[in-house]
Amino acid sequence: MKFSDGYWLLREGVTAAHPVQVLDVTDPDGSLEIHAPTQPVRHRGDLLKGPVVTITAHAPMPDVIGVTLTHFEGEQPRGPQFGLTGQEAAVRTEYDDEHAVLTSGALSVRVARTGPWQVDFLAGGRVLTSSGPKGMGIMRDGSGAHYLREQLGLGVGTSVYGLGERFGPLVRNGQVVDIWNADGGTATEQAYKNVPFYLTDAGYGVFVDHPGKVSFEVGSETVSRVQFSVEAQRLTYYVIHGPTPKEILRKYTALTGRPALPPAWSFGLWLSTSFTTSYDEETVTSFIDGMRERELPLSVFHFDCFWMREFNWCDFRWDPRVFPDPEGMLARLKDKGLHICVWINPYIAQRSPLFAEGKALGHLLRRPDGSVWQWDLWQPGMALVDFTSPAARDWYAAKLEALLEQGVDCFKTDFGERVPVDVAWSDGSDPERMHNYYTYLYNQTVFDVLRKHRGEGEAVLFARSATAGSQQFPVHWGGDCEASYESMAESLRGGLSLGLSGFGYWSHDIGGFEGTPTAALFKRWLAFGLMSSHSRLHGSSSYRVPWLFDEESVDVLRLFTRLKLRLMPYLYEAARTAHTEGVPMMRAMVLEFPDDPGCAHLERQYMLGPDLLVAPVFSDEGDVTYYVPEGAWTHFLTGRTVTGPRWVRERHDFLSVPLLVRPGAVIPVGAVDDRPDYAHADGVTLRAYGMRRGARVTVRAGDVTFTVVREGDTLRASSSDPSAPWALAAGERVARAAAGTGSLTLELESP
């Protein structure tokens, strides 16, 4: 939201009051409290004028400092609140006539007590960012609405990332971003997953602790500052020091929650009925049998909306006209080794039997006059489940439990963005603050049901909407994209942006959701989709089984599905890192190479885990241009090397994609290529790439940790099972030895 009219003026009707000096400083309970008048105090008469801003600094954990701006403290507390998890931090406060300082770990906030208004955030003696004169402010617009605003400086060359899953340019500089969940597809500035957190490549990130609408001006109102504002009497934000982008994400997710670890089976291929296509058990079985006949490994089958009767979404009952024997059908599908996913949403159509039930029990969201809130967009007469009510959550969860007992394994939790503000929540939550937060309660409710009934480590969703903290309930997918290369690219930008916002896993509709892809586009998207965290074939009005496109599509799907399954020892460790550290599986290049300026703006390639570079192909012809950082990188599929830093131009057929291994990496490759959930250490192959003499690399496969050391021209490997070390001379290609849990092959790809 913009308040100014150029550099000198405010917009018509806008008034502003900015802190200009420090009146006094106290340090209660390890925090720093400052009272700052918005006009100079020259004599006692100036003490009779307002407003005064109360500024409080505190530290919830090391290297993280929270700053709260308050105008009127008498405002009633309004929910919901983000659930933040602090850690014990040794906080130091000090102040004299010149400055007031609070320090947590390596990060300090310093407020000037003399001269112009200045708040600096420092680490290692260096200023990371600052709030200068006319940065903090109490703003009122022409309607009288009251806002608190902050502006933090952007250094020369600093790039800003994150703010959720956004489909425009990856670098946010110059963009206006409103944190407000919307069902807007992947082709607009709207987003399903809005997160009031941004990450920079200058050693810090910023999290605005407001679950409702936060308006960001990222170098777009004042080009040298990031501005954020909320309509409230209190605004809290946290500055998080890295110094690296990975460290910032580790600390941000420690504060807001780390992703759960999805089950290994979820990393296999998912196949959907698609949305408005016609299907019954015979159709479903033909797809599954067709995949098996063509040796296409399938892990999950998904039933989209029409598993329920039209206009009844959601009643959680199989349409008896189409699926007369759901328990028997699910048993037959599970006998084929499949896991089952079904579509749900948090809306209850008026025709659903649950509408009357939910209304009578008080579980549906109401207007201030007590009537049930309804509209006709999406489902006729639909209402929303009021997840602020524990009883409503239990009621909704009980419906899902019945499906789990039938044999369903997981849920696609669609929607959750279209949440009105002219309502009264059962717990008294503020409607503006609940608009974005609703998705957190929705997906938490479903995830908790799965965790309760399937066990820890077996819960997984396919969720569309999200906010800060929702990363705890994976997996998330990119929403409604079109069948085009442009939409494929915008989907990738969204996924990388989400990863830079604290989310560990991400997927997308292979081939695009709206429309039917050409055979060429489908094959290019297959390679991208199988080299993603999670992989799903799904469309709107057309099926996504590969033989409906051409026979080569079958070959492409087979190759990349089996490649992904062979890579499961490597991928599952990357997933474990997302779970334990908050570092995503699919990583924007800047996350791995923050000191390489060539990586700052890269958005058509990414790192899959720490050591694999993927550059999807966005053309029928197969022409692709990508950037290789420093060192000798190796094409995983061909063994050809490419030395960087430089840009590379290549042409790839449909059975190939740029997939390069980082210099010095050891990639554990599994012995199984027909399922993702196998003993990853049994028969594992360790492929060593360009290890330098004296280098030592530790990798994990399953429950076994392997250490590979290069001594001269020999590679030696040992495992956490101390049964057998062995050596491989550089002139030999392969050596084999027993490794406790199975045979191990160590390959030396380059000397």
Side-chain angles (χ1 to χ4, degrees):
M1 179 176 182
K2 291 181 172 64
F3 298 99
S4 62
D5 179 7
Y7 185 74
W8 306 107
L9 305 176
L10 294 173
R11 295 196 169 193
E12 185 175 356
V14 172
T15 61
H18 306 284
V20 295
Q21 70 180 77
V22 174
L23 181 66
D24 55 40
V25 180
T26 58
D27 57 349
D29 302 321
S31 63
L32 203 64
E33 184 171 285
I34 295 167
H35 293 94
T38 57
Q39 53 190 330
V41 178
R42 296 158 297 189
H43 50 74
R44 285 190 170 183
D46 291 330
L47 296 172
L48 306 179
K49 305 172 185 177
V52 172
V53 180
T54 302
I55 301 163
T56 305
H58 72 286
M61 56 184 289
D63 298 329
V64 179
I65 290 177
V67 174
T68 299
L69 319 179
T70 304
H71 183 200
F72 292 149
E73 292 187 352
E75 182 181 49
Q76 281 283 80
R78 298 185 297 167
Q81 303 283 347
F82 287 127
L84 305 184
T85 304
Q87 301 174 4
E88 186 174 346
V91 179
R92 186 174 72 255
T93 59
E94 52 188 320
Y95 48 93
D96 53 26
D97 292 340
E98 297 293 322
H99 298 98
V101 181
L102 181 142
T103 300
S104 170
L107 180 65
S108 297
V109 59
R110 181 181 66 193
V111 183
R113 301 191 69 181
T114 61
W117 178 260
Q118 188 72 20
V119 178
D120 295 320
F121 295 90
L122 309 95
R126 180 174 71 90
V127 175
L128 300 176
T129 188
S130 302
S131 175
K134 296 188 177 180
M136 294 182 184
I138 300 170
M139 321 296 290
R140 293 186 185 271
D141 66 14
S143 70
H146 180 284
Y147 298 87
L148 288 179
R149 183 193 79 177
E150 176 64 293
Q151 291 180 335
L152 296 178
L154 273 180
V156 176
T158 297
S159 295
V160 176
Y161 308 89
L163 298 176
E165 179 193 47
R166 317 211 77 85
F167 304 104
L170 182 65
V171 175
R172 300 274 90 88
N173 299 51
Q175 298 181 33
V176 179
V177 176
D178 286 336
I179 302 299
W180 192 251
N181 284 359
D183 178 7
T186 66
T188 73
E189 81 284 356
Q190 296 180 2
Y192 304 101
K193 309 169 188 67
N194 288 269
V195 180
F197 164 75
Y198 68 86
L199 177 72
T200 76
D201 55 4
Y204 69 95
V206 176
F207 171 54
V208 180
D209 186 9
H210 183 82
K213 185 175 183 178
V214 185
S215 182
F216 284 88
E217 298 278 347
V218 187
S220 49
E221 179 166 18
T222 301
V223 296
S224 60
R225 301 179 185 178
V226 175
Q227 171 179 298
F228 43 90
S229 58
V230 300
E231 187 176 357
Q233 297 288 342
R234 184 187 301 266
L235 167 64
T236 297
Y237 67 90
Y238 294 88
V239 174
I240 304 169
H241 172 54
T244 67
K246 280 185 182 178
E247 281 299 318
I248 297 167
L249 282 182
R250 289 184 179 109
K251 293 166 187 174
Y252 167 72
T253 55
L255 185 66
T256 60
R258 295 259 167 84
L261 180 63
W265 54 260
S266 72
F267 292 87
L269 181 62
W270 297 48
L271 175 63
S272 165
T273 58
S274 289
F275 172 31
T276 60
T277 52
S278 178
Y279 50 85
D280 54 16
E281 182 177 357
E282 183 180 359
T283 310
V284 169
T285 302
S286 72
F287 288 164
I288 294 169
D289 290 346
M291 297 286 282
R292 178 170 296 181
E293 290 164 5
R294 292 167 176 84
E295 299 181 321
L296 299 171
L298 188 62
S299 296
V300 183
F301 191 85
H302 167 70
F303 290 86
D304 216 55
C305 312
F306 282 95
W307 69 273
M308 290 178 283
R309 185 170 182 164
E310 71 277 3
F311 294 155
N312 279 30
W313 307 342
C314 285
D315 63 1
F316 306 108
R317 298 176 182 174
W318 295 84
D319 185 344
R321 302 166 303 174
V322 184
F323 302 105
D325 179 24
E327 290 85 359
M329 178 186 67
L330 295 181
R332 288 185 286 273
L333 295 180
K334 295 177 83 69
D335 285 343
K336 297 176 183 290
L338 295 171
H339 289 81
I340 305 300
C341 176
V342 297
W343 177 96
I344 61 172
N345 71 190
Y347 311 146
I348 309 297
Q350 184 168 285
R351 184 177 175 182
S352 167
L354 298 191
F355 182 90
E357 182 181 333
K359 177 184 175 183
L361 293 171
H363 296 335
L364 303 181
L365 180 60
R366 296 183 179 272
R367 296 186 184 276
D369 66 2
S371 61
V372 173
W373 182 93
Q374 291 180 262
W375 70 357
D376 287 326
L377 188 58
W378 177 241
Q379 287 288 284
M382 62 168 243
L384 281 74
V385 177
D386 185 345
F387 285 111
T388 69
S389 163
R393 295 178 69 169
D394 291 344
W395 174 73
Y396 190 87
K399 310 302 180 183
L400 303 183
E401 289 173 342
L403 291 168
L404 296 178
E405 291 172 1
Q406 285 183 331
V408 171
D409 296 292
C410 57
F411 299 102
K412 172 183 171 180
T413 49
D414 207 353
F415 288 86
E417 308 91 358
R418 297 176 179 175
V419 180
V421 295
D422 55 337
V423 293
W425 296 95
S426 68
D427 73 342
S429 285
D430 178 74
E432 180 264 341
R433 296 170 69 93
M434 181 54 68
H435 173 85
N436 293 334
Y437 196 76
Y438 182 82
T439 180
Y440 182 93
L441 296 178
Y442 165 39
N443 282 291
Q444 181 188 49
T445 299
V446 181
F447 198 85
D448 284 350
V449 169
L450 289 165
R451 187 156 42 192
K452 173 184 174 182
H453 288 269
R454 291 290 184 260
E456 195 71 36
E458 284 295 311
V460 65
L461 306 176
F462 224 83
R464 189 174 77 174
S465 57
T467 187
S470 296
Q471 65 268 11
Q472 298 171 82
F473 319 122
V475 169
H476 295 83
W477 102 94
D480 296 347
C481 51
E482 297 178 337
S484 69
Y485 285 114
E486 292 79 8
S487 198
M488 178 177 160
E490 70 201 20
S491 294
L492 174 56
R493 293 194 297 268
L496 297 182
S497 181
L498 190 67
L500 292 169
S501 305
F503 286 69
Y505 322 99
W506 175 79
S507 188
H508 45 97
D509 291 341
I510 294 174
F513 177 70
E514 293 290 353
T516 300
T518 64
L521 171 62
F522 183 66
K523 286 179 281 194
R524 296 299 184 197
W525 210 317
L526 282 172
F528 167 41
L530 270 301
M531 290 296 99
S532 298
S533 153
H534 286 74
S535 309
R536 184 179 71 159
L537 296 167
H538 180 67
S540 177
S541 58
S542 55
Y543 302 122
R544 289 292 180 268
V545 287
W547 54 89
L548 296 181
F549 295 91
D550 62 18
E551 283 306 310
E552 189 178 36
S553 295
V554 175
D555 297 334
V556 172
L557 180 58
R558 183 187 303 112
L559 185 151
F560 285 103
T561 302
R562 292 186 178 275
L563 172 62
K564 183 177 186 181
L565 300 179
R566 290 284 307 277
L567 286 172
M568 274 303 296
Y570 169 82
L571 295 175
Y572 202 63
E573 288 314 302
R576 201 188 305 270
T577 299
H579 167 58
T580 58
E581 301 180 24
V583 179
M585 291 185 67
M586 298 175 68
R587 307 174 185 180
M589 297 295 292
V590 68
L591 199 57
E592 284 294 331
F593 303 95
D595 297 324
D596 185 341
C599 292
H601 287 257
L602 296 180
E603 57 186 27
R604 296 194 303 274
Q605 63 185 78
Y606 56 96
M607 297 297 293
L608 183 57
D611 295 321
L612 291 179
L613 187 159
V614 183
V617 179
F618 296 99
S619 71
D620 288 359
E621 297 78 15
D623 295 320
V624 58
T625 301
Y626 59 92
Y627 176 78
V628 177
E630 184 177 4
W633 294 68
T634 306
H635 280 271
F636 185 86
L637 297 174
T638 67
R640 184 170 59 86
T641 59
V642 178
T643 301
R646 70 183 180 96
W647 285 91
V648 178
R649 294 183 178 180
E650 295 174 345
R651 172 166 286 196
H652 286 255
D653 62 25
F654 292 114
L655 292 166
S656 179
V657 70
L659 176 63
L660 284 78
V661 186
R662 192 173 189 164
V666 175
I667 305 295
V669 180
V672 176
D673 66 358
D674 62 358
R675 59 184 302 119
D677 46 345
Y678 58 93
H680 293 159
D682 285 357
V684 69
T685 298
L686 299 184
R687 294 189 181 181
Y689 293 84
M691 286 184 63
R692 296 180 178 179
R693 289 175 172 82
R696 174 186 295 267
V697 177
T698 299
V699 296
R700 181 173 169 175
D703 295 328
V704 182
T705 300
F706 299 97
T707 300
V708 181
V709 181
R710 180 167 179 177
E711 300 172 351
D713 288 335
T714 300
L715 287 182
R716 297 187 183 276
S718 59
S719 74
S720 54
D721 180 338
S723 58
W726 62 92
L728 171 65
E732 299 175 303
R733 182 64 178 172
V734 175
R736 298 179 183 273
T741 59
S743 66
L744 177 76
T745 303
L746 182 66
E747 298 183 15
L748 182 62
E749 293 292 330
S750 55

